[in-house]
Amino acid sequence: MININEVLETNKMIRSQHLDVRTITMGISLLDCIGSTISETKQLVKEKILKKAEKLVAVGEELSAELGIPIVNKRISVTPISLITARTGGSVEIAKVLDECAEILGVDFIGGYSALVHKGMTEYEKEFIKTIPEALSVTKKVCSSVNIGSTKAGINMDAVKMMGEIIKETAYLTKDNGSIGCAKLVVFANAVEDNPFMAGAFHGVGEADVVINVGVSGPGVVKAALENVKSKDLTVVAETIKNVAYKITRVGQLVAKMASERLNANFGIVDLSLAPTPVMGDSVAHILEEIGLESVGAYGTTACLALLNDAVKKGGIMASSHVGGLSGAFIPVSEDIGMINAVKNGKLCLEKLEAMTAICSVGLDMIAIPGSTDKDVISAIIADEAAIGVVNNKTTAVRIIPVHGKDEGEVDFGGLLGTAPIMKINTSSPNEFISRGGRIPAPVWANKN
Amino acid sequence: MKAIVTVIGKDTKGIIAKVSNFLFERDINIEDISQTIMQDFFSMVMMVNIVDIKTPFSVIAKECDNLGKELGLEIRIQSEDIFNAMHRI
């Protein structure tokens, strides 16, 4: 028997603490859409996506009405396109098909214009990566990612070198829109196959044909819970977060289960990530400040984030039958009002963000930097982030926007992508290091067998 | 098939009668009612059975919302699943 306090508690989380289902993402395998010509592939891809995801948005809305919780985004992820077009080429045309499907179906993003090159690149993959800037500039909803390193493989520094150039070119081609193309491009180390969040989502080759992955979000709920335990010790703080994370994740589990049944798909995973939005009351930075920091970015930030991330995982793991995706606290600078303010006030710098990615969150995300930044500096930022991920056996990523034509101020992407203040960076040249290319070998503890 | 109707707002005459009538008109049976007044705010939670409804749930959910706006209250109907998921292991 559900009691009145439980009902009121759940609804308070939804109505005033911004608890929502951040995304239902349908992963679709395109391995059976590889035609012998690009026209054939285009047709097969379009047919399959339109067929499998036909009811995705409708089911999302249905579940939202039934459960009384917003289901904010419905998204699609596909098999990395570099695998689908390896024989025929024409990947930009496939990007347009993906964009068209997203438009027809009413989903807000479609991810998977991706390549997995952690150990090495085929000639075709190099060509594919070079098409990323164009693909992102001629489409609206397509997201792209490249995996340049892994704990098992080490770091592909040839790919890292390329990605610095690719990011600059993407910024240039979308310069009339605040270089927004870069907001749809993620460079990964240890990328996961079942991430429901954009821009890094793709449908890995180890996955079933059609899979539902869900991301829930409630930074506001966590913060509200912590407001009740002011000046209690950190064990109490950790327990409070853990208990709330359990409740939040239970909603994700329920939605994933119901959505996969209604869409005739496999239940994939629930991603435990605490994902903020730019709206007030929905900030991860504010949770850290609630734990007791004057501003996110102060010393103590890394420790608080370690506590938060761990407690979220412990509560969330109990709540879900399968946990996956990124499942780490997100610290996207443009999508978190607390982060934006801390950067603007000079309290949060890139070096601190890098430290935070080492301990428990997913990466340098939505970082706007001066448009004049050298491509090798960008590659070196990627290399640093990759090293953190590869050595610590975790996913790290870089989603960085060198805003073409702007070296200070801020850039507004609109919507969920938010507003990003342009951050100062260290311009000392890593040029000789990046020019060397080659591979950084896998760390010794990758040899676990 | 169970659902939960929540009514929140300033206490006014006839809330229970109006909401019960709304549910009756839609073949929804009330199985349990709990209510509390918290800081002037009237909160009522009804466990209802929607097995006999003739219109889609999302339509009824919208009508509930509209009724709430009409009466100056927040009225929602939700599947009990979300509460069970969150508060029961």
Side-chain angles (χ1 to χ4, degrees):
Chain A
M1 223 6 257
I2 294 295
N3 75 52
I4 183 169
N5 292 319
E6 289 166 343
V7 171
L8 296 177
E9 182 190 350
T10 300
N11 284 342
K12 190 159 170 223
M13 288 184 188
I14 297 170
R15 309 290 157 231
S16 49
Q17 295 167 4
H18 302 281
L19 174 64
D20 58 54
V21 176
R22 185 55 49 82
T23 182
I24 297 184
T25 302
M26 175 181 275
I28 303 175
S29 171
L30 300 181
L31 293 172
D32 56 352
C33 300
I34 301 174
S36 43
T37 62
I38 187 64
S39 307
E40 202 188 333
T41 303
K42 278 164 69 173
Q43 198 193 346
L44 291 169
V45 165
K46 184 172 175 183
E47 267 168 26
K48 185 163 189 190
I49 295 177
L50 291 182
K51 176 155 176 252
K52 297 292 181 184
E54 188 188 353
K55 299 207 175 70
L56 176 59
V57 172
V59 165
E61 283 165 8
E62 206 175 273
L63 287 176
S64 180
E66 272 177 49
L67 301 176
I69 183 165
I71 294 183
V72 182
N73 300 303
K74 298 86 176 167
R75 296 169 166 170
I76 296 174
S77 66
V78 298
T79 311
I81 294 298
S82 60
L83 303 179
I84 307 301
T85 53
R87 185 90 187 133
T88 58
S91 50
V92 176
E93 291 179 60
I94 296 289
K96 290 180 184 166
V97 169
L98 296 179
D99 209 32
E100 200 193 329
C101 290
E103 231 11 80
I104 294 171
L105 295 165
V107 301
D108 71 318
F109 282 120
I110 181 163
Y113 196 80
S114 305
L116 306 173
V117 296
H118 31 284
K119 192 103 159 287
M121 295 185 279
T122 63
E123 280 314 306
Y124 178 66
E125 282 168 329
K126 289 182 198 165
E127 290 313 308
F128 174 85
I129 290 173
K130 289 183 192 159
T131 69
I132 290 176
E134 188 193 348
L136 293 177
S137 64
V138 300
T139 57
K140 270 181 64 194
K141 299 184 171 188
V142 174
C143 290
S144 172
S145 49
V146 181
N147 193 46
I148 50 79
S150 76
T151 299
K152 274 285 188 194
I155 305 175
N156 180 348
M157 288 302 294
D158 292 325
V160 170
K161 180 174 194 311
M162 264 191 97
M163 289 314 296
E165 296 160 15
I166 296 295
I167 289 172
K168 286 279 282 186
E169 207 196 322
T170 304
Y172 177 73
L173 289 183
T174 55
K175 62 187 188 315
D176 294 331
N177 229 326
S179 295
I180 196 174
C182 299
K184 295 181 279 174
L185 171 57
V186 182
V187 184
F188 275 113
N190 289 324
V192 296
E193 298 199 317
D194 53 10
N195 171 17
F197 292 100
M198 297 294 164
F202 62 85
H203 188 69
V205 298
E207 300 273 331
D209 197 35
V210 184
V211 173
I212 294 292
N213 298 318
V214 168
V216 198
S217 197
V221 183
V222 175
K223 178 174 186 293
L226 289 178
E227 284 163 11
N228 293 331
V229 295
K230 283 191 196 292
S231 69
K232 295 280 196 306
D233 78 24
L234 290 165
T235 305
V236 173
V237 171
E239 281 294 296
T240 306
I241 296 171
K242 189 168 76 168
N243 293 336
V244 149
Y246 171 82
K247 291 179 180 175
I248 293 170
T249 311
R250 287 296 278 169
V251 174
Q253 167 79 4
L254 177 67
V255 168
K257 193 155 159 294
M258 290 173 85
S260 50
E261 277 162 14
R262 293 184 195 193
L263 290 166
N264 230 338
N266 290 63
F267 176 117
I269 51 93
V270 179
D271 188 314
L272 308 178
S273 298
L274 220 45
T277 66
V279 150
M280 185 56 82
D282 207 13
S283 157
V284 171
H286 287 164
I287 299 175
L288 301 176
E289 289 169 13
E290 184 62 37
I291 299 178
L293 303 171
E294 184 187 4
S295 168
V296 70
Y299 299 116
T301 299
T302 314
C304 290
L305 187 51
L307 182 161
L308 169 65
N309 207 50
D310 182 65
V312 164
K313 285 186 209 169
K314 285 173 177 162
I317 285 172
M318 174 63 184
S320 175
S321 50
H322 293 283
V323 168
L326 297 170
S327 286
F330 282 8
I331 46 166
V333 174
S334 77
E335 296 171 10
D336 185 313
I337 189 94
M339 302 286 278
I340 296 172
N341 289 337
V343 168
K344 284 186 175 163
N345 296 333
K347 307 281 191 202
L348 177 63
C349 63
L350 198 59
E351 285 67 33
K352 193 51 161 173
L353 282 165
E354 193 188 56
M356 289 156 80
T357 70
I359 203 72
C360 52
S361 59
V362 179
L364 294 175
D365 194 15
M366 291 307 286
I367 312 276
I369 58 174
S372 59
T373 306
D374 184 71
K375 60 180 166 53
D376 287 341
V377 169
I378 296 175
S379 290
I381 292 173
I382 294 170
D384 281 351
E385 202 50 30
I388 288 171
V390 162
V391 167
N392 288 298
N393 202 8
K394 66 187 287 297
T395 304
T396 48
V398 172
R399 186 161 54 148
I400 198 164
I401 304 124
V403 185
H404 186 87
K406 248 187 156 169
D407 276 354
E408 49 187 21
E410 60 183 35
V411 60
D412 186 2
F413 300 114
L416 247 192
L417 296 172
T419 306
I422 294 178
M423 293 188 79
K424 286 201 186 357
I425 55 162
N426 185 334
T427 51
S428 317
S429 175
N431 178 265
E432 276 181 45
F433 162 56
I434 296 296
S435 302
R436 285 175 181 261
R439 291 161 56 191
I440 295 181
V444 60
W445 39 84
N447 300 289
K448 276 181 166 178
N449 294 344
Chain B
M1 263 223 61
K2 306 279 180 59
I4 306 269
V5 174
T6 332
V7 180
I8 299 184
K10 284 264 175 196
D11 193 6
T12 39
K13 284 196 173 49
I15 297 178
I16 297 187
K18 290 192 179 118
V19 175
S20 312
N21 197 51
F22 171 93
L23 297 170
F24 173 69
E25 283 169 353
R26 285 155 183 77
D27 298 301
I28 297 173
N29 192 40
I30 301 171
E31 296 191 347
D32 203 346
I33 306 183
S34 253
Q35 99 183 46
T36 178
I37 309 233
M38 283 191 317
Q39 296 160 326
D40 258 359
F41 270 83
F42 168 88
S43 305
M44 179 168 71
V45 165
M46 295 166 145
M47 168 83 91
V48 302
N49 197 323
I50 55 169
V51 69
D52 290 326
I53 53 170
K54 310 274 185 311
T55 43
F57 187 94
S58 49
V59 172
I60 296 181
K62 196 85 192 71
E63 290 173 343
C64 254
D65 199 40
N66 293 338
L67 176 67
K69 292 196 170 82
E70 231 177 85
L71 301 176
L73 303 162
E74 216 186 85
I75 307 183
R76 299 195 195 283
I77 184 166
Q78 293 156 273
S79 161
E80 68 163 349
D81 290 343
I82 190 171
F83 307 103
N84 284 331
M86 203 185 267
H87 300 285
R88 298 287 174 271
I89 294 197

